[in-house]
C-alpha cells in the first residue's frame, strides 16, 4: 500500500509541476509575444562585409548594408569588440582632393534601399585598436539604429589601396591606407 501511495504522490507532484511549468510557459510566451510586438530591432543584411587586415591602430569596414523593410532606417553608430573607437565616415571634397571624415549624423538607409561602404568612399572606421586585425579574423560589430541594434559579422582580408586622408577629430590630417 505504501508503494502505491508514493507512486500516486510522485505522479501528482509531476502533474502539478507540469501544469506549473506549462502555465509559466504560457505567461512567458505571452510576454514574448508582447515583446515581439514592441520589438524595435532593425533587420538589415550586411552583404560582402569585410574589414581590412592591418597591424596599425586603424582599419576600415566595408560592404553593403541592405534595408529590406518598408521604412527608412537611420544608422547612427557602430560599436565593435576590438577596443578603441568606431565611427561612421564619409567622403568629402577637401583642399587636396577627396578626404574622409566622421559623419556625425550617421546615414539613412532608405526602405528597400542600401548603403554601400567601400574603400575611398563611405565606410566604418575602427580606430585606436588594441591589437592587429589578421586575415581571416572574424569581427562582430553592433550596428546602432534609432532605438535598435543589430549584430553583424565580417571577416578580415588583405587589401592594398586606399591611401585616404582623414580630417577632423583626433585623426585630422592623417594619411591612412584605408
Amino acid at each position: 500500500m505504501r508503494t502505491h501511495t508514493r507512486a500516486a504522490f510522485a505522479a501528482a507532484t509531476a502533474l502539478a509541476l507540469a501544469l506549473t511549468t506549462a502555465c509559466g510557459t504560457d505567461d512567458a510566451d505571452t510576454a514574448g509575444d508582447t515583446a515581439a510586438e514592441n520589438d524595435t530591432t532593425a533587420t538589415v543584411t550586411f552583404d560582402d562585409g569585410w574589414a581590412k587586415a592591418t597591424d596599425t591602430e586603424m582599419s576600415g569596414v566595408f560592404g553593403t548594408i541592405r534595408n529590406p523593410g518598408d521604412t527608412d532606417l537611420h544608422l547612427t553608430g557602430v560599436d565593435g569588440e576590438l577596443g578603441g573607437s568606431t565611427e561612421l565616415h564619409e567622403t568629402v571634397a577637401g583642399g587636396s582632393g577627396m578626404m574622409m571624415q566622421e559623419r556625425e549624423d550617421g546615414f539613412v538607409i532608405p526602405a528597400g534601399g542600401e548603403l554601400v561602404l567601400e574603400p575611398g568612399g563611405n565606410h566604418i572606421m575602427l580606430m585606436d585598436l588594441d591589437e592587429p586585425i589578421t586575415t581571416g579574423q572574424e569581427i562582430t560589430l553592433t550596428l546602432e539604429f534609432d532605438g535598435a541594434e543589430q549584430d553583424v559579422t565580417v571577416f578580415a582580408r588583405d587589401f592594398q589601396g586606399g591611401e585616404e586622408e582623414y580630417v577632423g577629430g583626433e585623426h585630422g590630417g592623417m594619411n591612412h591606407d584605408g
Side-chain angles (χ1 to χ4, degrees), residues 33-175:
D33 291 343
T34 303
E37 291 169 10
N38 296 326
D39 190 9
T40 57
T41 301
T43 303
V44 298
T45 60
F46 196 3
D47 298 332
D48 302 318
W50 62 281
K52 180 181 183 242
T54 184
D55 59 358
T56 68
E57 294 181 352
M58 296 191 340
S59 184
V61 176
F62 314 100
T64 302
I65 302 174
R66 297 187 198 284
N67 173 8
D70 56 3
T71 58
D72 293 352
L73 293 174
H74 183 197
L75 179 62
T76 57
V78 179
D79 192 23
E81 64 181 2
L82 301 174
S85 61
T86 308
E87 295 179 352
L88 297 171
H89 277 211
E90 66 181 333
T91 305
V92 296
S96 61
M98 299 306 286
M99 297 186 300
M100 305 296 170
Q101 68 181 18
E102 182 177 8
R103 177 144 175 153
E104 294 183 22
D105 59 345
F107 295 102
V108 173
I109 307 170
E114 64 187 26
L115 170 63
V116 176
L117 304 173
E118 59 190 355
N122 299 328
H123 61 279
I124 297 168
M125 192 72 203
L126 308 174
M127 300 176 302
D128 303 319
L129 297 170
D130 294 336
E131 297 178 16
I133 296 175
T134 58
T135 301
Q137 181 177 347
E138 184 176 306
I139 301 165
T140 300
L141 300 170
T142 302
L143 303 179
E144 300 168 350
F145 299 91
D146 284 332
E149 294 182 342
Q150 182 177 334
D151 287 345
V152 295
T153 301
V154 300
F155 292 90
R157 68 169 80 152
D158 284 331
F159 177 76
Q160 302 300 316
E163 298 301 326
E164 297 95 359
E165 183 178 343
Y166 293 90
V167 298
E170 295 177 2
H171 47 280
M174 293 177 71
N175 283 331

